[in-house]
Amino acid sequence: MNDYSRRALVADIGGTNFRLAITDIDRLTIEHFALLSTGDFTRPQDAIERYLKTVPFRPEMVALALAGPVDNDTARLTNRPWEFTKADIQAVTGAETVLLINDFEALALAVPTLTDYDLHEVKRGKLAKGHNRMVVGPGTGLGLSGLLWQNGEWLPIASEGGHMSFGARDAAELELVEAMDLKPGVVTAERLLSGAGLAALYNALAGGKTEPRDQFSAARITKAAIARQDPVAVRALDQFVIWLARFASDMALAFGARGGIYIGGGIAPNIIPALESPAFARAFSENHEVAGFFEDIPVWVIKDGADAELKGAALALARLAPSTAPVTLKA
Amino acid sequence: MNDYSRRALVADIGGTNFRLAITDIDRLTIEHFALLSTGDFTRPQDAIERYLKTVPFRPEMVALALAGPVDNDTARLTNRPWEFTKADIQAVTGAETVLLINDFEALALAVPTLTDYDLHEVKRGKLAKGHNRMVVGPGTGLGLSGLLWQNGEWLPIASEGGHMSFGARDAAELELVEAMDLKPGVVTAERLLSGAGLAALYNALAGGKTEPRDQFSAARITKAAIARQDPVAVRALDQFVIWLARFASDMALAFGARGGIYIGGGIAPNIIPALESPAFARAFSENHEVAGFFEDIPVWVIKDGADAELKGAALALARLAPSTAPVTLKA
């Protein structure tokens, strides 16, 4: 006989991908995994409804991690006009417990559970136990969160830092950002450090001569750059990686994240050689104002197959409904 | 008969001022207050030793808040070559318990205890209970910390964010920063948003014709600007306030600080009219990427007389040694 009381439906709703699974919230197993395209649905409820028809039972707990802010019982996707409430999800799932969480807050919760198998080290450092950590991730948008070690517990810091304003370091950089022809208003980190940002950067470096941007452009550019098939793509990715390194080091200072940087999101796993380059490490460590702060901080990429957002959503549920045998985490 | 067991020596060691007092760590009273100049001493121990001769007893607990990072039992001042350990302070005070804490982490701890009497509202907002808060403060350096509301408790986030890199928004700003003739390397937020930064900014706007900068320049510039006696000082303070507003709004996003911004440090209490200006509010709210995030966030200046760092140091001690009647804080 199976005990389904600790099983939950978990989902990770990004601007591009919609991942769903059934998990045991104590063991963090991933079963009945499904990968859907967010763009195929007009409401998250429709994707969840379709998925639930493919699994043999109805879980009583649901946790949705999503790329956008969560305020009380309402969630809003940043890069899609979706807004929904706990009650909306309860109506479609019949679940008693529904939890909504920002996807990078979920990632932060999952970080202490990730193993060497889930991570790829792109900049060496020394593991500093009991120090804060940070998660950053360019994808459809730019996600960010902190992880605070306090009183023997890891606490996630939900952040809107992807929307921070971006400033140029010198005239060449200022000219490049202006050539990117971004939408009006304050230039934010996300406008540069996202799939659309990489496409705009490529277009600017190509002299504005590329095809109309579509949602697959970033994937094409990273592929061509890593294969060294297109010199403009190589230049675009080089600049992208420098901006990402700078943003990561600035936010490491903000969160006091000596304990490590974790790069999640859709783009990082596809550009690992560029993140392992000396240019990334140099841009990450170039700020010498705080002696020795950066040298020892390790930087990892969270592999796509780690399903870290789904595990994080499960962990958030486990915190709500503690088991008699909870997962123990190391400092 | 007096009970001295809950009394402590607390100090706030900044780049310019060295404040000391005796406090009751449960009632947060400030007695035997002394204000010394940091520059008058070669070691913090000397200032503490001199102070202790003026009070009628030796407290068994000591908490030092200081402008610099604390790593385990070692503290380092950012803007002065001082490094000292708990043992150094124990040797001079004979205290059993010594606690070292970053001054802005102490400020964050004190924020929930501050009353209307301690604060001056410079930008109106709605008090959002149970949301994160943030403390920022230009002075000799640029301090920063977050305050996380989690599980019914306020937790401070020690930050090194004052050392984040600064980028220019447009060509005029880039030119101005270059004219400030800062020391080589990455331009950090602190190089602009500090007393030395304001002096360098004034000098740049005056065409490099001012007297050699000294430590009192910032005080002179702010006084002349607020009194509208010097048009260059007015322009310098206007630009300073815009950069401060931008940094504060960026860091509010980073920490998800919808609950309020508190401006501490030595400069803010002297420039309240400039912080109440529409230019500050406009620069603070100009990033419209996150709809409605900024409009409702109140911004306060922590008044000099609030002795907030000293109270924060006392609160940090109280957390180490909980009383039977602890202070209760509101969300």
Side-chain angles (χ1 to χ4, degrees):
Chain A
M1 218 171 81
N2 283 315
D3 171 19
Y4 290 131
S5 71
R6 305 295 287 174
R7 299 268 182 102
L9 165 65
V10 286
D12 168 33
I13 313 175
T16 306
N17 294 315
F18 198 129
R19 294 181 167 88
L20 301 110
I22 301 295
T23 182
D24 176 305
I25 66 169
D26 298 319
R27 290 185 224 133
L28 305 182
T29 48
I30 300 290
E31 294 172 281
H32 302 285
F33 177 81
L35 172 63
L36 308 175
S37 285
T38 309
D40 288 348
F41 301 89
T42 53
R43 306 184 310 163
Q45 294 94 308
D46 299 339
I48 292 166
E49 198 159 36
R50 186 204 280 181
Y51 172 76
L52 280 175
K53 286 185 187 148
T54 70
V55 294
F57 60 96
R58 294 235 146 194
E60 276 160 33
M61 293 184 285
V62 174
L64 307 183
L66 63 126
V70 175
D71 199 5
N72 295 316
D73 292 350
T74 304
R76 200 174 66 242
L77 243 69
T78 301
N79 289 293
R80 187 167 289 271
W82 281 5
E83 189 169 310
F84 54 95
T85 65
K86 269 192 196 181
D88 294 335
I89 306 304
Q90 265 165 334
V92 70
T93 59
E96 237 171 85
T97 305
V98 171
L99 186 151
L100 306 178
I101 185 170
N102 170 268
D103 56 350
F104 273 72
E105 196 179 347
L107 259 184
L109 279 171
V111 151
T113 71
L114 299 179
T115 64
D116 288 352
Y117 187 78
D118 302 316
L119 301 167
H120 186 109
E121 192 180 47
V122 291
K123 183 207 160 270
R124 293 232 170 144
K126 279 183 226 155
L127 187 74
K129 284 189 186 179
H131 277 290
N132 298 349
R133 301 179 183 182
M134 193 194 92
V135 189
V136 59
T140 310
L142 175 62
L144 187 76
S145 57
L147 194 59
L148 191 67
W149 178 255
Q150 196 127 6
N151 308 324
E153 216 187 341
W154 285 112
L155 301 171
I157 307 170
S159 174
E160 300 276 356
H163 301 295
M164 282 171 58
S165 66
F166 172 87
R169 180 151 301 179
D170 53 35
E173 208 169 84
L174 193 61
E175 201 182 325
L176 183 56
V177 173
E178 275 163 10
M180 283 172 68
D181 195 21
L182 303 168
K183 58 179 173 172
V186 169
V187 176
T188 64
E190 175 169 293
R191 291 198 193 169
L192 306 189
L193 293 170
S194 57
L198 181 57
L201 177 58
Y202 181 90
N203 189 53
L205 290 171
K209 286 176 203 140
T210 54
E211 302 277 298
R213 300 169 206 159
D214 63 46
Q215 58 174 327
F216 301 108
S217 293
R220 280 209 299 259
I221 296 162
T222 52
K223 207 174 164 186
I226 294 300
R228 307 238 141 216
Q229 284 167 344
D230 174 352
V232 179
V234 170
R235 279 179 60 205
L237 189 59
D238 283 352
Q239 181 63 60
F240 186 86
V241 154
I242 284 170
W243 282 338
L244 178 58
R246 194 190 305 165
F247 184 72
S249 69
D250 278 343
M251 299 317 298
L253 287 169
F255 291 130
R258 290 170 192 272
I261 310 290
Y262 296 77
I263 312 182
I267 295 175
N270 298 317
I271 59 167
I272 282 175
L275 296 171
E276 286 177 324
S277 71
F280 178 84
R282 198 163 46 233
F284 180 74
S285 307
E286 76 183 326
N287 183 341
H288 292 286
E289 204 75 351
V290 189
F293 186 86
F294 297 105
E295 283 70 9
D296 290 346
I297 302 180
V299 182
W300 289 280
V301 168
I302 303 173
K303 288 183 195 163
D304 219 20
D307 292 323
E309 292 90 347
L310 298 177
K311 286 176 190 162
L315 280 162
L317 273 179
R319 281 169 24 130
L320 268 190
S323 143
T324 45
V327 179
T328 311
L329 303 175
K330 283 183 296 185
Chain B
M1 217 170 80
N2 283 314
D3 171 19
Y4 290 131
S5 70
R6 305 295 288 172
R7 299 265 182 103
L9 165 65
V10 287
D12 168 32
I13 313 175
T16 306
N17 295 316
F18 198 129
R19 295 181 167 89
L20 300 112
I22 300 295
T23 181
D24 176 306
I25 66 170
D26 299 320
R27 293 186 221 131
L28 306 183
T29 48
I30 299 291
E31 293 172 281
H32 302 285
F33 177 81
L35 172 63
L36 308 176
S37 285
T38 309
D40 288 349
F41 300 90
T42 53
R43 305 183 313 162
Q45 293 94 307
D46 299 338
I48 291 166
E49 199 159 34
R50 185 202 285 182
Y51 173 75
L52 279 175
K53 286 185 186 146
T54 70
V55 295
F57 60 97
R58 294 233 147 195
E60 276 160 34
M61 293 184 286
V62 173
L64 307 183
L66 63 126
V70 176
D71 198 6
N72 296 316
D73 293 349
T74 304
R76 202 175 66 243
L77 242 71
T78 301
N79 291 294
R80 187 167 290 269
W82 281 5
E83 190 169 308
F84 53 97
T85 64
K86 270 191 194 180
D88 294 335
I89 305 304
Q90 265 164 336
V92 71
T93 59
E96 236 170 89
T97 305
V98 171
L99 186 148
L100 305 177
I101 184 170
N102 169 268
D103 56 350
F104 272 73
E105 195 179 348
L107 259 184
L109 278 171
V111 151
T113 72
L114 298 179
T115 64
D116 288 353
Y117 187 76
D118 301 316
L119 300 168
H120 186 111
E121 192 178 50
V122 290
K123 184 209 159 266
R124 293 233 167 142
K126 278 182 225 157
L127 186 75
K129 282 189 187 180
H131 277 289
N132 298 350
R133 300 179 184 182
M134 194 194 91
V135 188
V136 60
T140 311
L142 176 62
L144 186 75
S145 57
L147 194 60
L148 191 68
W149 177 255
Q150 195 127 6
N151 307 324
E153 216 187 340
W154 285 112
L155 301 172
I157 306 169
S159 175
E160 301 276 355
H163 301 294
M164 282 172 59
S165 66
F166 171 88
R169 179 148 304 176
D170 53 36
E173 206 169 87
L174 193 61
E175 203 182 326
L176 183 56
V177 173
E178 276 163 9
M180 284 172 68
D181 195 21
L182 304 167
K183 59 179 173 174
V186 169
V187 176
T188 64
E190 176 170 293
R191 291 198 194 171
L192 307 188
L193 293 169
S194 58
L198 180 58
L201 177 57
Y202 181 90
N203 189 53
L205 289 170
K209 286 177 208 141
T210 54
E211 301 278 299
R213 299 167 207 159
D214 64 46
Q215 58 175 327
F216 301 107
S217 293
R220 279 210 300 260
I221 296 161
T222 53
K223 208 174 163 186
I226 295 300
R228 305 240 140 215
Q229 284 166 345
D230 174 351
V232 180
V234 170
R235 280 179 62 206
L237 189 59
D238 283 352
Q239 181 63 59
F240 186 86
V241 154
I242 285 169
W243 282 337
L244 178 58
R246 193 191 304 164
F247 184 73
S249 70
D250 278 343
M251 298 317 299
L253 287 169
F255 291 131
R258 291 170 192 272
I261 310 290
Y262 296 77
I263 312 183
I267 295 176
N270 299 318
I271 59 167
I272 283 176
L275 297 171
E276 286 178 323
S277 70
F280 178 84
R282 199 163 47 231
F284 180 75
S285 308
E286 76 182 327
N287 183 343
H288 292 287
E289 203 75 348
V290 189
F293 185 86
F294 297 105
E295 283 71 5
D296 289 347
I297 301 180
V299 182
W300 288 279
V301 168
I302 303 173
K303 288 183 197 163
D304 220 21
D307 292 322
E309 291 90 346
L310 297 178
K311 286 177 190 160
L315 281 162
L317 273 179
R319 283 170 18 131
L320 268 191
S323 143
T324 46
V327 180
T328 312
L329 303 175
K330 284 183 295 183

